[in-house]
Amino acid sequence: TTRLNFRKKNVIASYIRSHIVSFICPILICSREILEDLPDVDCVLVSVGGGGLISGIGAYLKHKNPRIQVNI
């Protein structure tokens, strides 16, 4: 995990490491539900704010189905 010094406090930036991002519970649940409800899905559109959501969903879905497209 990358640690950033911000005003003498350590901030752990979890979105930098894909293995941390993919196991954040809400993202994992959302990703699993996509595949359970739509097992033959070809493409998933994800909104982007800071990038954590698309990183987690993309990592999980690509792990389960390398042919799936994850777009913004």
Side-chain angles (χ1 to χ4, degrees), residues 2 8 13 23 30-31 39 44 47-48 61 63-64 70:
T2 301
K8 298 191 179 200
F23 292 104
C30 176
S31 303
V44 176
S47 64
V48 176
L61 293 178
H63 173 72
K64 294 294 186 177
V70 181

Side-chain angles (χ1 to χ4, degrees), residues 11-28:
V11 177
I12 299 174
S14 62
Y15 57 87
I16 294 173
R17 302 282 185 159
S18 64
H19 69 280
I20 293 171
V21 173
S22 17
F23 292 104
I24 297 173
C25 200
I27 294 173
L28 179 60

Side-chain angles (χ1 to χ4, degrees), residues 46-54 72:
V46 183
S47 64
V48 176
L53 180 65
I54 194 167
I72 57 173

